[in-house]
Amino acid sequence: MPDYINENPEEEVIIIELTDEDGVSTEFEYLDTIQLDGEEYVVLIENTEDAEGVIVLKIESIDDESENYVGVNDEEIVQKVYEIFKKNHKDDFEFTD
């Protein structure tokens, strides 16, 4: 995924911590939620200085208060979600494709 530069650094940053199946926790900055074909996807970037691009995960609801974020294996879906994200945030970020 191409990198981006946040053009609005004064905006509130939402940090979420995700834990993988091995119990390793990683912090991510929440960027957006995108709807595509009746599904919801979250766009995140690792909360580090050297993050190399965004991550797209599918949102799966567990109940009214809980959800899982699941990796997306379909590169076409990832690209579609990323293109929507770029279109929605063209004034917020400088994308370096």
Side-chain angles (χ1 to χ4, degrees):
M1 240 358 104
D3 290 337
Y4 76 96
I5 299 169
N6 189 344
E7 296 289 318
N8 296 311
E10 68 278 353
E11 288 185 9
E12 179 182 353
V13 175
I14 299 172
I15 303 297
I16 60 172
E17 184 176 312
L18 300 179
T19 305
D20 67 16
E21 61 275 354
D22 297 323
V24 177
S25 295
T26 305
E27 286 188 347
F28 293 89
E29 180 182 340
Y30 168 84
L31 300 176
D32 200 0
T33 299
I34 304 291
Q35 292 193 355
L36 177 68
D37 298 331
E39 302 287 350
E40 283 190 315
Y41 299 89
V42 65
V43 181
L44 308 170
I45 191 165
E46 194 169 347
N47 190 33
T48 63
E49 294 274 330
D50 58 346
E52 293 189 11
V54 299
I55 297 169
V56 174
L57 300 173
K58 183 178 176 183
I59 300 172
E60 291 185 348
S61 293
I62 297 171
D63 54 39
D64 289 340
E65 297 178 11
S66 301
E67 56 194 22
N68 279 335
Y69 296 150
V70 181
V72 179
N73 295 325
D74 187 331
E75 188 61 31
E76 185 176 332
I77 291 174
V78 171
Q79 284 300 316
K80 286 181 180 179
V81 169
Y82 184 65
E83 290 302 318
I84 294 168
F85 172 75
K86 284 184 4 180
K87 179 180 173 189
N88 291 350
H89 294 280
K90 65 180 181 274
D91 297 329
D92 301 326
F93 302 108
E94 177 184 325
F95 295 94
T96 56
D97 291 339

